[in-house]
Amino acid sequence: MAVRKETQKVKDFAETVKEITGQVKENYVNGLEFTLSLWEENLKVLNAQVDQWLDLQQELIGAGRDFYDKFPKEISPFSNGNSKAINGQINRLVAFQKDYVESVRKASDKLTKETLNLAEKNIEKAFSLVDDYISLFRV
């Protein structure tokens, strides 16, 4: 009879631990999702700020071009009144900046997705190992 009572306790222990690990897993997943959602929201705010900065830069470049075009061609300190050379270099710089920003955004999005997938796989593996270990106590 005493052996049966202890076996019952082991089963109760295993079920209790399994329930607790299930709750821990759920809380861990919720915390991870919350953290990643904050990360994504911060990226959205940062992207909006970068877009505003690029728009401001475009406006500044446009104002500079307008000023330069209104400047008397006879006393132009740059390229003898030919603004095509300067405009071409500015356009190259702006295009390079846009490409760089887009590549950083893509890398950031990819990192976020891969981090989430890897964390979910790690959680599943870790808790499956815990469940396997707990199942060893069952009789």
Side-chain angles (χ1 to χ4, degrees):
M1 234 15 194
V3 174
R4 191 167 209 201
K5 222 176 193 183
E6 289 177 16
T7 304
Q8 185 66 30
K9 287 182 181 179
V10 170
K11 285 183 181 179
D12 290 342
F13 168 77
E15 290 300 319
T16 303
V17 171
K18 189 172 183 176
E19 289 175 14
I20 290 172
T21 56
Q23 291 175 352
V24 169
K25 177 182 175 183
E26 183 179 335
N27 288 335
Y28 188 78
V29 168
N30 289 340
L32 179 68
E33 289 175 355
F34 176 72
T35 302
L36 288 175
S37 69
L38 283 177
W39 184 356
E40 288 174 344
E41 288 300 316
N42 287 337
L43 283 175
K44 287 178 185 177
V45 170
L46 182 62
N47 285 335
Q49 289 176 344
V50 168
D51 288 339
Q52 288 176 353
W53 179 75
L54 289 173
D55 291 343
L56 179 65
Q57 183 182 24
Q58 286 288 28
E59 290 177 18
L60 180 63
I61 290 170
R65 285 181 180 162
D66 289 343
F67 173 76
Y68 185 72
D69 289 340
K70 291 178 184 177
F71 205 68
K73 306 292 186 218
E74 296 82 30
I75 56 171
S76 176
F78 307 109
S79 69
N80 298 329
N82 185 4
S83 63
K84 289 181 182 178
I86 293 174
N87 287 340
Q89 295 301 322
I90 291 173
N91 290 339
R92 284 184 53 203
L93 176 64
V94 170
F96 173 76
Q97 285 179 339
K98 285 182 180 180
D99 290 343
Y100 179 75
V101 167
E102 286 303 314
S103 66
V104 169
R105 285 180 181 169
K106 287 179 185 177
S108 177
D109 289 343
K110 185 177 179 181
L111 176 68
T112 302
K113 290 175 185 175
E114 288 180 359
T115 300
L116 178 61
N117 290 337
L118 182 63
E120 287 175 350
K121 287 178 184 176
N122 285 339
I123 290 168
E124 291 298 324
K125 186 66 175 176
F127 283 100
S128 71
L129 290 174
V130 170
D131 288 343
D132 291 345
Y133 180 73
I134 291 171
S135 68
L136 294 175
F137 290 106
R138 293 186 183 164
V139 178

